[in-house]
Amino acid sequence: MTEIRIAVTGAAGRMGRELVRVVSAASGCVLSGGTEPPGSSHIGADLGTLAGLPPLGVAVTSDPLELVARSDAVIDFTVPAASVEMAGLAANARIVHVIGTTGFNDSDEAAIKAAARHATVIKAGNMSLGVNLLTAVTRRIAEALDADFDIEIVEMHHRQKVDAPSGTALMLGAAAAEGRGVDLKTSSVRARDGHTGPRRRGDIGFATLRGGTVVGEHTVVFAGEGERIEITHRAEDRSIFARGAVKAAQWGQGKGPGLFNMSDVLGL
């Protein structure tokens, strides 16, 4: 069977190096390359050496076109602008684009949706099996309980994370809103400060914590009269996201154009 050629964008970052390690070890996959922005000191470095592995004979490049030309899939945990650019390149090349980047605005989302008319795009705020199961359970609980149960989503990440709430928190909020049959944009509360008055019935609240080296922690709270349901996922190792992303890249082979998520990959 032909090996799937998988490329990694942002290969010198924390997630990029983890992806290099996981792709290199994955059965049926081969690392086809990795990118860093022009001017990076890592351009030309061996991807294996960067990731703490023996040399792999594959160098970091700043040319995404070169990367796409020799790949069947690209895994992308970078920043919105870079991911949108890569979506266009992946669409032109008709390869699988796995997106774990978060923090997109409406314009970015529209560009990715347009790219998915020509390529297989798998986009998720979180690639882990556990979080996607948590998302499915959140949807079901929200569907079963009425608005007498207040929904709050609490998330914590390391001090270097730049977007808030996290993509995973927003994914959980979207699942809760879908289960409840409401629009998250009009129902969510992202911050509370000062004299806010009573909590509005039906709101979905978000609380964001940042500090230390926390990989990721998410709790969905359903608070009712005299009882509370809490479901939590704690990520202890970035490899769970990398393994999920590689699984997505494998699943996407031969699927054809479309915008998919990890629930599709996992059959949830």
Side-chain angles (χ1 to χ4, degrees):
M1 184 176 67
T2 304
E3 290 182 309
I4 301 169
R5 300 169 300 167
I6 299 178
V8 175
T9 61
R14 283 176 296 185
M15 261 313 297
R17 296 178 198 224
E18 190 61 53
L19 283 162
V20 167
R21 289 189 283 269
V22 171
V23 172
S24 299
S27 176
C29 299
V30 62
L31 186 69
S32 58
T35 61
E36 275 290 296
S40 167
S41 62
H42 299 293
I43 302 298
D46 187 280
L47 284 164
T49 304
L50 271 180
L53 302 172
L56 295 172
V58 184
V60 177
T61 179
S62 62
D63 184 357
L65 275 173
E66 175 193 340
L67 192 75
V68 165
R70 60 172 187 257
S71 303
D72 302 307
V74 57
I75 300 178
D76 178 4
F77 286 72
T78 53
V79 296
S83 294
V84 168
E85 180 185 3
M86 180 55 72
L89 297 176
N92 286 333
R94 304 300 195 265
I95 66 171
V96 175
H97 187 193
V98 178
I99 304 175
T101 305
T102 59
F104 294 107
N105 61 32
D106 289 345
S107 176
D108 298 331
E109 297 283 4
I112 290 169
K113 188 175 181 180
R117 292 200 292 265
H118 306 285
T120 304
V121 179
I122 302 159
K123 177 176 173 291
N126 195 297
M127 296 283 174
S128 86
L129 172 61
V131 161
N132 283 278
L133 287 171
L134 174 61
T135 303
V137 170
T138 296
R139 185 182 300 110
R140 292 293 300 274
I141 295 175
E143 186 178 9
L145 301 175
D146 62 24
D148 286 338
F149 278 80
D150 301 319
I151 301 175
E152 294 285 317
I153 298 167
V154 184
E155 59 103 338
M156 183 169 186
H157 284 83
H158 53 88
R159 63 170 67 95
Q160 302 298 330
K161 186 166 178 60
V162 297
D163 58 310
S166 70
T168 302
L170 293 173
M171 186 169 76
L172 292 166
E178 182 182 342
R180 186 161 278 182
V182 299
D183 182 357
L184 183 63
K185 287 185 177 180
T186 58
S187 300
S188 68
V189 176
R190 305 292 183 86
R192 298 185 178 101
D193 184 33
H195 192 278
T196 61
R199 189 187 197 281
R200 190 176 65 175
R201 189 174 190 270
D203 278 347
I204 297 173
F206 291 84
T208 298
L209 309 178
R210 294 287 179 266
T213 57
V214 177
V215 174
E217 182 172 317
H218 296 84
T219 297
V220 183
V221 180
F222 296 87
E225 293 292 331
E227 60 181 330
R228 187 169 72 246
I229 302 165
E230 297 183 3
I231 46 178
T232 297
H233 178 272
R234 294 183 179 91
E236 299 175 351
D237 189 322
R238 284 184 178 81
S239 67
I240 64 172
F241 311 127
R243 289 196 298 271
V246 171
K247 184 178 181 69
Q250 294 170 316
W251 177 88
Q253 300 302 308
K255 283 293 183 297
L259 182 58
F260 304 94
N261 57 38
M262 283 303 289
S263 292
D264 298 311
V265 175
L266 299 171
L268 298 176

